[in-house]
Amino acid sequence: MSLEEFKDVAKYEQLVAMYKEYTVYKVKYGYELERTGYYYFKNGKLERMDSEEYRPQVIKINKTD
C-alpha cells in the first residue's frame, strides 16, 4: 500500500515521526477510538504495522558522514 492510498482510507491518522526514508503514522480506531495502530512507511510504501506501541528502534537510519 502506498502512503497516498493509506491517507485516502485511514481515519484520524497522526504523523508521529519523519526521517529521510521513513514516515510513521499513528491511527486511532475502534468503537470509541480505544485502539491504536502504528504504520511504518519506507520511501512511500507500507513496510510494517504495529498495534498499541510505537517502537522507533525498528527504524534503522544509515548515517553517512
Side-chain angles (χ1 to χ4, degrees):
M1 172 184 285
S2 73
L3 183 55
E4 292 79 23
E5 291 171 321
F6 168 76
K7 287 182 176 181
D8 285 342
V9 297
K11 294 182 180 178
Y12 313 110
E13 77 271 6
Q14 176 184 8
L15 181 64
V16 174
M18 183 181 286
Y19 304 101
K20 185 176 180 177
E21 296 176 349
Y22 283 92
T23 307
V24 182
Y25 283 88
K26 174 182 176 178
V27 177
K28 293 286 202 174
Y29 62 97
Y31 179 68
E32 293 181 347
L33 303 177
E34 74 278 5
R35 295 182 184 195
T36 304
Y38 291 92
Y39 295 78
Y40 299 77
F41 291 86
K42 180 178 181 182
N43 296 322
K45 297 287 183 186
L46 182 63
E47 186 171 90
R48 64 187 305 269
M49 298 180 298
D50 272 330
S51 61
E52 302 298 328
E53 182 182 352
Y54 171 51
R55 298 186 305 164
Q57 68 273 16
V58 300
I59 298 175
K60 296 177 183 163
I61 301 171
N62 296 326
K63 292 186 179 183
T64 56
D65 294 319

